[in-house]
């Protein structure tokens, strides 16, 4: 399959481009499109055949459910049932935006979208292109991140091309995404509501509206996945081995410098992901500067992983961020990339 790429304005999407993309969706094809978090790989959420193409293109296990994207909060009733008042409150506060709500699935959404679960994950993205596409397609759009399974999520079109060229009919290009980390997934079918994946909407913000929201950072291995989708340990991974360092900044930085020396002596190619304030600390080593605050780090994280892969490094060293605000989501992605290899430095 040839993959077409069309540029589209991110604030005022050209209607001719949107109409072309909507046609592909209506015919049951795949379109990669931008959201505020990451690029999504979209198909008609009401068509089992179209949805099957998503799993095939991504090489994603059918046990991992997809998010259904809508263009208006009113469409919630079409995709979910028995919607609790809290869902409407949260939608009012955070939509459009990076919050995904897990609710009871309506019959209009085929079970395969949700990997056979009775629930459905729904969100309304804060991106004009995504919203225009859903509207023009006149159907909710199921979309996981537009990467190959277990690769870092795509925040730029070149990442989508790296993973899915020849596997998707059309890619809409609106430049780099703004948030860079995926949406927060909140399960409202359990009491108290539980965050399954920290993301663009922080726990602190959710708890202002729903103080009893729980979050138990829990990660499971591939193969254990069916009972608790979405918490796969090996996920978002560069090809290199990632080591995540936790502890006092100075102690961590000297320990990392020591590891750079040891690994280099063993002829292993080392790469670092650092915040700007740490970048002066290292010499003679490949590094990616992720930026100076948590929002910037979130935006640059997945691109950083892919850039180090392009440099063919064997080992990636990274200092863990503070686990507050969007730092919790960054911590989660790094922890998974490191497959749990956390090194505590005292
Ligand atoms: O920001 C995002 O959420 C992006 C953009 C494209 O919207 N999408 C995304 O999709 O990250 P994906 O498929 O890569 O991640 C969806 C997450 C997975 O962790 C999945 O297990 C979880 O949501 N999920 C989906 N449906 C679920 C359900 N019914 N119950 C529990 N978890 C669910
Ligand atoms: Mg994904």
């Amino acid at each position: 399959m040839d993959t077409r790429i069309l540029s589209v304005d991110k604030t005022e999407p050209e209607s001719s481009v949107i109409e072309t993309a909507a046609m592909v969706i209506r015919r049951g094809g795949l379109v990669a499109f931008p959201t505020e978090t990451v690029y999504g790989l979209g198909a008609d959420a009401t068509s089992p055949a179209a949805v099957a193409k998503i799993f095939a293109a991504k090489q994603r296990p059918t046990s991992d459910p997809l998010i259904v994207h809508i263009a208006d909060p009113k469409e919630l009733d079409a995709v979910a049932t028995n919607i609790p008042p809290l869902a409407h409150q949260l939608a009012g506060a955070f939509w459009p935006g990076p919050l995904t709500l897990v609710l009871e699935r309506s019959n209009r959404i085929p079970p395969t979208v949700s990997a056979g679960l009775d629930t459905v994950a729904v969100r309304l993205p804060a991106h004009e292109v995504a919203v225009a596409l859903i509207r023009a397609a006149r159907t909710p759009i199921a979309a996981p991140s537009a990467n190959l399974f277990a690769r870092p999520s795509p925040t730029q079109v070149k990442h989508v091309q790296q993973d899915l060229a020849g596997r998707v009919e059309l890619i809409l290009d609106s430049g780099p995404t703004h948030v860079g980390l995926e949406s927060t997934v909140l399960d409202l079918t359990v009491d108290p509501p539980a965050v399954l994946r920290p993301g663009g909407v922080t726990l602190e913000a959710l708890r202002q509206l729903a103080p009893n929201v729980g979050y138990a950072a829990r990660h499971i291995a591939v193969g254990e996945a069916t009972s608790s989708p979405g918490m796969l340990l090996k996920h978002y991974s560069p090809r290199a081995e990632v080591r995540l360092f936790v502890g006092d900044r100075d102690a961590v930085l000297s320990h990392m410098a020591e590891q750079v020396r040891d690994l280099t002596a063993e002829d292993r190619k080392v790469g670092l992901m650092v915040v700007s304030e740490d970048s002066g600390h290292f010499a003679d080593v490949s590094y990616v500067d992720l930026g100076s605050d948590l929002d910037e780090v979130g935006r640059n994280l997945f691109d950083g992983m892919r850039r180090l892969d392009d440099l063919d490094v064997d080992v990636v060293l990274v200092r863990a961020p503070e686990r507050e605000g969007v730092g919790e989501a960054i911590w989660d992605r790094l922890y998974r990339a490191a497959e749990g290899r956390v090194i505590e430095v005292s």
Side-chain angles (χ1 to χ4, degrees), residues 5-316:
I5 301 178
L6 294 175
S7 295
V8 57
D9 192 88
K10 69 172 176 222
T11 45
E12 289 174 41
E14 297 80 351
S15 51
S16 59
V17 179
I18 295 298
E19 193 44 44
T20 302
M23 288 265 276
V24 175
I25 297 285
R26 287 201 295 266
R27 283 200 326 260
L30 299 180
V31 176
F33 63 96
T35 78
E36 80 281 32
T37 58
V38 302
Y39 277 77
L41 177 63
D44 180 351
T46 64
S47 159
V51 166
K53 289 185 190 168
I54 293 178
F55 286 98
K58 263 187 79 99
Q59 300 175 338
R60 175 171 172 131
T62 50
S63 57
D64 199 358
L66 308 176
I67 295 174
V68 173
H69 297 69
I70 57 176
D72 190 293
K74 289 190 207 110
E75 292 160 23
L76 249 187
D77 294 313
V79 300
T81 58
N82 287 327
I83 300 165
L86 180 59
H88 294 292
Q89 278 170 281
L90 291 166
F94 297 108
W95 283 0
L99 176 65
T100 295
L101 301 177
V102 176
L103 299 162
E104 269 182 56
R105 182 169 50 81
S106 101
N107 292 333
R108 235 192 111 199
I109 299 299
T112 48
V113 168
S114 297
L117 299 170
D118 295 332
T119 55
V120 63
V122 191
R123 91 175 187 99
L124 199 171
H127 199 295
E128 294 305 329
V129 171
V131 169
L133 175 62
I134 300 161
R135 282 216 178 102
R138 295 191 294 272
T139 180
I141 293 183
S145 47
N147 52 306
L148 283 175
F149 179 66
R151 294 279 299 143
S153 287
T155 56
Q156 302 175 24
V157 159
K158 73 171 183 218
H159 304 154
V160 180
Q161 284 178 282
Q162 282 169 356
D163 283 15
L164 298 177
R167 298 172 163 270
V168 53
E169 246 175 88
L170 176 62
I171 303 175
L172 296 181
D173 185 354
S174 298
T177 59
H178 177 70
V179 178
L181 300 166
E182 307 88 338
S183 62
T184 303
V185 179
L186 178 65
D187 189 350
L188 293 181
T189 68
V190 293
D191 191 22
V195 166
L196 303 179
R197 176 178 74 183
V201 169
T202 65
L203 289 169
E204 293 88 336
L206 284 177
R207 284 176 179 151
Q208 285 191 358
L209 248 171
N212 63 343
V213 163
Y215 173 55
R218 207 156 61 84
H219 302 87
I220 55 181
V222 176
E224 276 180 76
T226 26
S227 56
S228 328
M231 283 172 279
L232 282 181
L233 184 50
K234 180 158 178 58
H235 213 148
Y236 314 109
S237 307
R239 278 177 278 271
E241 170 189 331
V242 177
R243 297 182 188 174
L244 180 60
F245 294 82
V246 179
D248 169 73
R249 174 173 181 255
D250 290 337
V252 163
L253 289 176
S254 15
H255 195 77
M256 283 169 70
E258 220 170 276
Q259 289 226 346
V260 170
R261 280 194 300 275
D262 293 352
L263 287 161
T264 308
E266 292 166 22
D267 261 346
R268 300 187 74 191
K269 186 164 180 195
V270 187
L272 303 176
M273 290 199 289
V274 295
V275 290
S276 305
E277 63 163 338
D278 291 354
S279 62
H281 205 88
F282 301 95
D284 301 327
V285 61
S286 309
Y287 75 86
V288 167
D289 187 339
L290 295 176
S292 48
D293 60 40
L294 287 175
D295 286 340
E296 263 186 274
V297 172
R299 205 172 294 145
N300 294 326
L301 183 68
F302 291 133
D303 180 57
M305 291 183 189
R306 283 178 186 259
R307 276 163 59 193
L308 289 174
D309 268 347
D310 293 344
L311 294 172
D312 259 332
V313 303
D314 301 305
V315 185
V316 172

